Amino acid sequence: RELPMLGLLHLLPLASCHGLAAAHRLRGGAALTLPPLVGAYQSALAAAPITTNVLSAASLSVLADGMAQAVERRGSWDVSRAAWISAWGASVSGLMLFFWFRLLARLFPLAASSTA
């Protein structure tokens, strides 16, 4: 049984699980080459989906907060703020949404296979 993908991953075509760059055809015949990192990430998602989602969400949250703090320019980097944002991202975006989307896929199985 396939688990729902979280975040932006569902927007990416499937890459090779062997870490090799994969070429995919886009509409209009253009080719898109995905970097090996995408394949490695998808392999990690297949092996440990919850851990991968939690770590990804925490990392993206800290990255986003770091950019926000850089724009604010209030002096030094607020480590406690970044830690709270990381915890929030890991728990809400990484963990809770994983189970939420899994529940939605179970409640609406036709929507998971829809191409719309």
Side-chain angles (χ1 to χ4, degrees), residues 20-87:
L20 303 173
H24 298 279
R25 290 278 168 214
L26 300 175
R27 291 181 196 162
L32 171 69
T33 303
L34 298 174
L37 188 57
V38 174
Y41 181 74
Q42 289 183 334
S43 294
L45 267 177
I50 296 173
T51 303
T52 305
N53 278 322
V54 167
L55 293 175
S56 298
S59 300
L60 290 172
S61 297
V62 168
L63 178 65
D65 182 58
M67 290 189 293
Q69 287 190 39
V71 169
E72 290 174 357
R73 296 182 188 145
R74 292 188 181 179
S76 64
W77 193 53
D78 189 350
V79 177
S80 64
R81 171 180 153 173
W84 276 110
I85 297 233
S86 173

